[in-house]
Amino acid sequence: MGFVRNPKDVISGLLFIAIALLFAWQSRELTIGSAMRMGPGYFPLVLSVVMGLLGLIVLINGLRYPGEAPSGFAWRALVILVGATLFFGFAMRPLGFLPTLAITVFASTLASTLFRPLTALAITAVMVVFCWGVFILGLGLPLPLLGPWLGGY
């Protein structure tokens, strides 16, 4: 592989493209609709295309610009991010949107060794306010802010 100048970017780009193709394939049986009347398959397909294009850009950059070879696997980050995602899926109903989101974002910041606790709290606060503004106020999604475990509903 003498033409690969940055193996990390090439592997990342191929991974992004593979995931994008998987999600596009999974959305093939959903109604796409149009930009004015979006069906349930519209958004996943658009995200798949965007992710595939980003993967292609990363792949091309890996072929053009020098970089470093992969040095290992970030098991800690993988476990924390997968765990945080699973937590979000399972805790959304009993805890509600805001507490589940706050715990998920804070836990996700622990996957990086670059964030200090104060930075993690700031990121969590910004993300909770941002997501509340986008999903509750902006899109009007009927998500309970607090779940029954916290006295909501």
Side-chain angles (χ1 to χ4, degrees):
M1 288 200 345
F3 60 91
V4 174
R5 301 189 68 186
N6 186 342
K8 272 187 177 180
D9 281 358
V10 170
I11 292 169
S12 296
L14 290 172
L15 183 63
F16 285 172
I17 292 169
I19 292 171
L21 289 172
L22 175 69
F23 279 99
W25 180 70
Q26 289 291 322
S27 69
R28 74 189 187 289
E29 293 185 16
L30 298 172
T31 305
I32 294 175
S34 67
M36 297 303 283
R37 294 185 56 81
M38 296 179 202
Y42 187 89
F43 196 64
L45 186 60
V46 168
L47 285 181
S48 296
V49 169
V50 170
M51 187 173 191
L53 290 174
L54 290 174
L56 186 61
I57 291 169
V58 171
L59 174 66
I60 290 170
N61 282 337
L63 296 173
R64 294 179 63 198
Y65 303 110
E68 58 191 56
S71 59
F73 201 79
W75 288 106
R76 177 177 172 257
L78 178 69
V79 168
I80 290 173
L81 292 175
V82 169
T85 304
L86 289 172
F87 172 80
F88 186 84
F90 286 113
M92 182 70 158
R93 188 172 298 253
L95 292 179
F97 181 62
L98 296 181
T100 304
L101 180 65
I103 293 168
T104 302
V105 171
F106 186 79
S108 296
T109 62
L110 300 177
S112 172
T113 57
L114 302 176
F115 293 125
R116 303 282 175 245
L118 191 58
T119 306
L121 287 173
I123 291 170
T124 300
V126 169
M127 283 302 296
V128 167
V129 170
F130 175 77
C131 290
W132 172 75
V134 169
F135 295 111
I136 305 296
L137 293 181
L139 295 174
L141 295 179
L143 299 172
L145 298 181
L146 295 175
W149 287 6
L150 300 175
Y153 277 68

